[in-house]
Coordinates of all heavy atoms in Angstrom, one line a residue:
G1 N 7.8 -2.4 4.9 CA 7.0 -1.4 5.6 C 5.9 -0.8 4.8 O 5.2 0.1 5.2
S2 N 5.7 -1.3 3.6 CA 4.7 -0.7 2.7 C 3.3 -1.4 2.9 O 2.4 -0.9 2.3 CB 5.1 -0.9 1.2 OG 5.2 -2.3 0.9
Q3 N 3.3 -2.4 3.7 CA 2.0 -3.1 3.9 C 1.3 -2.3 5.0 O 1.9 -1.7 5.9 CB 2.2 -4.5 4.3 CG 2.9 -5.4 3.3 CD 2.0 -5.5 2.0 OE1 0.8 -5.6 2.0 NE2 2.7 -5.3 0.8
A4 N -0.1 -2.5 5.1 CA -0.8 -1.9 6.2 C -0.4 -2.5 7.5 O -0.2 -3.7 7.6 CB -2.3 -2.1 5.9
T5 N -0.3 -1.6 8.5 CA 0.2 -2.1 9.8 C -1.0 -2.8 10.6 O -2.2 -2.4 10.3 CB 0.8 -1.0 10.7 OG1 -0.2 0.0 10.8 CG2 2.0 -0.4 10.0
V6 N -0.7 -3.7 11.5 CA -1.7 -4.4 12.3 C -1.4 -4.0 13.7 O -0.3 -4.1 14.2 CB -1.6 -5.9 12.0 CG1 -2.5 -6.6 12.9 CG2 -1.8 -6.2 10.6
A7 N -2.5 -3.6 14.4 CA -2.3 -3.3 15.8 C -2.0 -4.5 16.6 O -2.3 -5.6 16.2 CB -3.6 -2.6 16.3
P8 N -1.5 -4.4 17.8 CA -1.1 -5.6 18.6 C -2.2 -6.5 18.9 O -2.1 -7.7 19.1 CB -0.5 -5.0 19.9 CG -0.3 -3.6 19.7 CD -1.1 -3.2 18.5
Y9 N -3.5 -6.0 19.0 CA -4.6 -6.9 19.3 C -5.5 -7.2 18.1 O -6.6 -7.6 18.3 CB -5.5 -6.2 20.4 CG -4.6 -5.9 21.6 CD1 -4.3 -4.6 21.9 CD2 -4.2 -6.9 22.5 CE1 -3.5 -4.3 23.0 CE2 -3.4 -6.6 23.6 CZ -3.1 -5.3 23.9 OH -2.3 -5.0 25.0
G10 N -5.0 -7.1 17.0 CA -5.8 -7.4 15.8 C -5.9 -6.2 14.8 O -5.4 -5.1 15.2
P11 N -6.4 -6.4 13.7 CA -6.5 -5.3 12.7 C -7.4 -4.2 13.2 O -8.5 -4.5 13.8 CB -7.0 -6.0 11.4 CG -7.6 -7.3 11.8 CD -7.0 -7.7 13.2
V12 N -7.0 -3.0 12.9 CA -7.8 -1.9 13.3 C -8.1 -1.1 12.0 O -7.2 -0.8 11.2 CB -7.1 -0.9 14.3 CG1 -7.9 0.3 14.5 CG2 -6.8 -1.7 15.5
V13 N -9.4 -0.8 11.7 CA -9.8 0.0 10.6 C -9.6 1.5 10.9 O -10.3 1.9 11.9 CB -11.2 -0.3 10.1 CG1 -11.6 0.6 9.0 CG2 -11.4 -1.8 9.8
P14 N -8.7 2.2 10.3 CA -8.5 3.6 10.7 C -9.7 4.4 10.3 O -10.4 4.1 9.3 CB -7.3 4.0 9.9 CG -7.1 3.0 8.8 CD -7.8 1.7 9.3
Q15 N -10.0 5.5 11.0 CA -11.1 6.4 10.7 C -10.8 7.1 9.4 O -11.6 7.4 8.6 CB -11.3 7.4 11.8 CG -11.8 6.7 13.1 CD -13.1 6.0 13.0 OE1 -14.0 6.4 12.2 NE2 -13.2 4.8 13.7
K16 N -9.5 7.5 9.2 CA -9.1 8.2 8.1 C -7.9 7.4 7.5 O -7.0 7.0 8.2 CB -8.7 9.6 8.4 CG -8.2 10.5 7.3 CD -7.8 11.9 7.8 CE -7.3 12.7 6.6 NZ -6.7 13.9 7.0
T17 N -7.9 7.3 6.1 CA -6.8 6.6 5.5 C -5.5 7.4 5.7 O -5.4 8.5 5.3 CB -7.1 6.4 4.0 OG1 -8.3 5.8 3.9 CG2 -6.0 5.6 3.3
P18 N -4.5 6.7 6.2 CA -3.2 7.4 6.4 C -2.6 7.8 5.0 O -2.8 7.1 4.0 CB -2.3 6.4 7.1 CG -3.2 5.3 7.6 CD -4.5 5.4 6.8
S19 N -1.9 8.9 4.9 CA -1.4 9.3 3.6 C -0.4 8.3 3.0 O -0.4 8.2 1.8 CB -0.7 10.7 3.8 OG 0.4 10.6 4.7
W20 N 0.3 7.6 3.8 CA 1.3 6.7 3.3 C 0.6 5.5 2.7 O 1.1 4.8 1.8 CB 2.3 6.2 4.3 CG 1.7 5.6 5.5 CD1 1.3 6.2 6.7 CD2 1.3 4.2 5.7 NE1 0.7 5.3 7.5 CE2 0.7 4.0 6.9 CE3 1.4 3.1 4.8 CZ2 0.2 2.8 7.4 CZ3 0.9 1.9 5.3 CH2 0.4 1.7 6.6
L21 N -0.7 5.2 3.1 CA -1.4 4.0 2.6 C -2.1 4.4 1.3 O -2.4 3.6 0.4 CB -2.4 3.5 3.6 CG -3.1 2.2 3.4 CD1 -2.1 1.1 3.2 CD2 -4.0 1.8 4.5
A22 N -2.5 5.7 1.2 CA -3.2 6.2 0.0 C -2.3 6.3 -1.2 O -2.7 6.4 -2.3 CB -3.9 7.5 0.3
Q23 N -0.9 6.4 -1.0 CA 0.0 6.6 -2.1 C 0.1 5.3 -2.8 O 0.0 4.2 -2.3 CB 1.4 6.9 -1.5 CG 1.4 8.3 -0.9 CD 2.8 8.6 -0.2 OE1 3.6 7.7 -0.1 NE2 2.9 9.8 0.2
K24 N 0.2 5.4 -4.1 CA 0.3 4.2 -5.0 C 1.8 3.7 -5.0 O 2.7 4.5 -5.2 CB -0.1 4.5 -6.4 CG -1.5 5.0 -6.6 CD -2.5 4.0 -6.1 CE -3.9 4.5 -6.3 NZ -4.9 3.8 -5.6
A25 N 1.9 2.5 -4.6 CA 3.3 1.9 -4.5 C 3.7 1.4 -5.9 O 2.9 1.1 -6.7 CB 3.3 0.7 -3.6
T26 N 5.0 1.5 -6.1 CA 5.6 1.0 -7.4 C 6.6 -0.1 -7.0 O 7.6 0.1 -6.4 CB 6.3 2.1 -8.1 OG1 5.4 3.2 -8.2 CG2 6.8 1.7 -9.5
G27 N 6.3 -1.3 -7.5 CA 7.1 -2.4 -7.2 C 7.6 -3.1 -8.4 O 7.4 -2.6 -9.6
P28 N 8.2 -4.3 -8.3 CA 8.7 -5.0 -9.5 C 7.6 -5.4 -10.5 O 7.9 -5.3 -11.7 CB 9.4 -6.2 -8.9 CG 8.8 -6.4 -7.5 CD 8.4 -5.0 -7.1
V29 N 6.4 -5.7 -10.1 CA 5.4 -6.1 -11.0 C 5.0 -4.8 -11.8 O 4.8 -4.9 -13.0 CB 4.2 -6.7 -10.3 CG1 3.0 -6.9 -11.2 CG2 4.6 -8.0 -9.6
A30 N 4.8 -3.7 -11.1 CA 4.4 -2.5 -11.8 C 5.5 -2.1 -12.8 O 5.2 -1.6 -13.9 CB 4.2 -1.4 -10.7
A31 N 6.7 -2.2 -12.4 CA 7.8 -1.9 -13.3 C 7.8 -2.8 -14.5 O 8.0 -2.3 -15.6 CB 9.2 -2.0 -12.5
A32 N 7.6 -4.0 -14.3 CA 7.5 -5.0 -15.5 C 6.4 -4.6 -16.4 O 6.5 -4.7 -17.6 CB 7.5 -6.4 -15.0
L33 N 5.2 -4.4 -15.8 CA 4.1 -4.0 -16.7 C 4.3 -2.7 -17.4 O 3.9 -2.6 -18.6 CB 2.8 -4.0 -15.8 CG 2.3 -5.3 -15.3 CD1 1.1 -5.1 -14.3 CD2 1.8 -6.2 -16.4
S34 N 4.9 -1.8 -16.7 CA 5.2 -0.5 -17.4 C 6.2 -0.7 -18.5 O 6.0 -0.1 -19.6 CB 5.8 0.5 -16.3 OG 6.2 1.7 -17.0
E35 N 7.2 -1.5 -18.3 CA 8.2 -1.8 -19.3 C 7.5 -2.5 -20.5 O 7.8 -2.2 -21.7 CB 9.3 -2.7 -18.7 CG 10.4 -3.0 -19.7 CD 11.3 -1.9 -20.1 OE1 11.3 -0.9 -19.4 OE2 12.0 -2.0 -21.1
Y36 N 6.7 -3.5 -20.2 CA 6.0 -4.2 -21.3 C 5.1 -3.2 -22.1 O 5.2 -3.2 -23.4 CB 5.0 -5.2 -20.7 CG 4.2 -5.9 -21.8 CD1 4.7 -6.9 -22.6 CD2 2.9 -5.5 -22.0 CE1 4.0 -7.5 -23.6 CE2 2.1 -6.1 -23.0 CZ 2.7 -7.2 -23.8 OH 1.9 -7.7 -24.7
A37 N 4.4 -2.3 -21.5 CA 3.5 -1.4 -22.2 C 4.4 -0.4 -23.0 O 4.0 -0.1 -24.1 CB 2.7 -0.6 -21.2
T38 N 5.5 0.0 -22.4 CA 6.4 0.9 -23.2 C 6.9 0.3 -24.4 O 7.0 0.9 -25.5 CB 7.5 1.4 -22.2 OG1 6.9 2.1 -21.1 CG2 8.4 2.3 -23.0

């Protein structure tokens, strides 16, 4: 559910970016890069 949602009739560009989409996600790649840098 972290991907941008698609409306039933095709992609819709929202007028305002939803707050959940603006948040920075942290996944396994980010965790690995963070571990490497640390």
Side-chain angles (χ1 to χ4, degrees):
S2 64
Q3 299 297 319
T5 58
V6 177
Y9 302 107
V12 176
V13 178
Q15 297 298 327
K16 181 180 175 187
T17 305
S19 63
W20 58 268
L21 191 57
Q23 295 174 351
K24 301 297 181 193
T26 307
V29 173
L33 289 172
S34 176
E35 181 72 17
Y36 175 80
T38 300

